Amino acid sequence: MTSVGSATGTGPGTAVVRRLREGMADRVLSFPLTSFRDDGSFDPDGYRAHVAERVAAGPGAVFPVCGTGEFFSLDEDEYRRAVTIAVEETAGRVPVVAGAGYGWAQALRFARIAEDAGADALLVMPHYLTAAPQEGLVAQLERIAAGTRLPLIAYQRGQVTYTAESVRRIARIPGVVGLKDGHGDLDRLQRMVLAAPEDFLFFNGAATAEVQARAYAAVGVPAYSSAVHAFAPEIANAFLAALRDGDSGTVDKLLRDFYVPLVELRDRVPGYAVSLVKAAARLRGCPVGPVRAPLTDPSAADLAELKTLLTAGLALVGAAL
């Protein structure tokens, strides 16, 4: 079984699921950054330019205001403006899957905003703070699904971890169409893939997902999100092409000389999974601005190391800073 099967059903989300599946089959999933000014305020013009560049780089879908997009730091008005801009800039070329989360009541507030803004689907972010039993995790999705017409993709990360039986259950909830995995527990994930219907969408959402892409593909989950696409789509697209073509030499070289050193730098400071991506985008002239607290921007020394690494990574694929 793979995560890219034939679409079934005739519900309102079927067309969206089909488009997502088609995009996931041969392109990376793009998670745009949210642009802020130096004073921390939302920068709609910078964000619009950034999203437009991501769409031009050919992703399979665009996921605005999710983890990389600092969903957790946005108020509802900023969220509305960001999703609206993403919908306008994609102009129907690829699906727009907006983040939504916290408890189910607040998640539904964001879901309704995303609906009004024209989003195609929702990525249900992990709920706030507390651990929860499987019954509660399933009930959370049931509540959200009952309150929105948009298809839902569950996101397991942090305190949210489903069992194979729970995935079997959530796949039966009308409107729940897939799962993004951020844990990297491949034994558990294999059980989930086998427990779910063939047309249920799975994708690799681990931080710097390319490092684990081959391992995920081996358990039937070849699709993945790419944070690198937010600042170096040339590298992200070259890696995917090599992976799909079976070009192990190029895959290994990109992993060894770019992705693994990036992960090592990322792991130095909590929050660098977003902060480094934003800093790398700024190095390339993208008007994304700083991160918002509680995240912090990279130190001068780490920024210099990032610039060296990015320059070398771009050179590997015939591009330049």
Side-chain angles (χ1 to χ4, degrees):
M1 178 184 295
T2 71
S3 66
V4 185
S6 298
T8 61
T10 57
T14 301
V16 173
V17 174
R18 185 177 295 112
R19 293 183 68 209
L20 282 168
R21 182 175 292 107
E22 290 169 353
M24 289 162 63
D26 59 5
R27 288 168 281 165
V28 299
L29 305 176
S30 182
F31 285 65
L33 300 154
T34 300
S35 298
F36 300 124
R37 302 184 181 94
D38 288 342
D39 65 2
S41 61
F42 177 61
D43 177 9
D45 294 334
Y47 180 68
R48 186 179 295 278
H50 176 64
V51 172
E53 289 182 358
R54 296 319 99 204
V55 175
V62 170
F63 288 67
V65 290
C66 294
T68 305
E70 297 178 78
F71 165 77
F72 52 86
S73 76
L74 301 177
D75 65 29
E76 291 182 11
D77 180 62
E78 292 167 333
Y79 176 90
R80 177 182 294 103
R81 295 166 73 190
V83 176
T84 298
I85 290 170
V87 170
E88 290 173 350
E89 290 304 315
T90 57
R93 285 173 284 179
V94 294
V96 174
V97 185
Y102 304 116
W104 63 262
Q106 185 63 47
L108 280 176
R109 291 177 66 93
F110 285 108
R112 288 160 187 157
I113 292 170
E115 283 188 29
D116 291 343
D120 297 295
L122 297 170
L123 179 67
V124 181
M125 307 291 287
H127 64 268
Y128 172 69
L129 187 61
T130 188
Q134 294 296 305
E135 192 66 33
L137 296 178
V138 174
Q140 165 92 336
L141 288 175
E142 289 175 335
R143 287 277 195 168
I144 298 171
T148 178
R149 62 175 178 79
L150 296 180
L152 307 181
I153 298 171
Y155 186 10
Q156 63 167 14
R157 193 184 186 99
Q159 71 273 25
V160 175
T161 303
Y162 297 98
T163 63
E165 176 55 29
S166 292
V167 169
R168 185 181 288 112
R169 291 177 63 190
I170 68 175
R172 293 197 294 261
I173 300 171
V176 178
V177 302
L179 182 139
K180 175 185 179 183
D181 175 64
H183 285 301
D185 183 338
L186 298 181
D187 178 277
R188 180 185 290 263
L189 184 61
Q190 178 71 90
R191 296 166 190 260
M192 293 177 180
V193 171
L194 294 172
E198 185 177 0
D199 62 346
F200 199 68
L201 302 174
F202 285 93
F203 66 93
N204 166 7
T208 319
E210 286 90 343
V211 173
Q212 300 185 57
R214 285 190 288 203
Y216 270 82
V219 298
V221 184
Y224 60 88
S225 60
S226 176
V228 171
H229 194 272
F231 63 86
E234 304 97 324
I235 299 174
N237 291 336
F239 181 89
L240 178 63
L243 187 67
R244 296 294 163 85
D245 290 344
D247 182 355
S248 296
T250 298
V251 169
D252 288 344
K253 186 168 184 59
L254 286 169
L255 287 173
R256 184 183 303 110
D257 296 341
F258 176 73
Y259 282 101
V260 170
L262 180 65
V263 168
E264 292 171 349
L265 180 57
R266 180 201 74 199
D267 288 348
R268 288 182 190 170
V269 178
Y272 263 20
V274 176
S275 302
L276 286 180
V277 174
K278 219 165 194 185
R282 291 195 302 272
L283 286 172
R284 302 206 72 196
C286 295
V288 295
V291 293
R292 274 182 174 172
L295 300 182
T296 58
D297 289 309
S299 67
D302 288 344
L303 185 61
E305 187 172 338
L306 175 65
K307 184 176 182 179
T308 299
L309 177 59
L310 178 56
T311 301
L314 289 166
L316 290 174
V317 297
L321 188 65

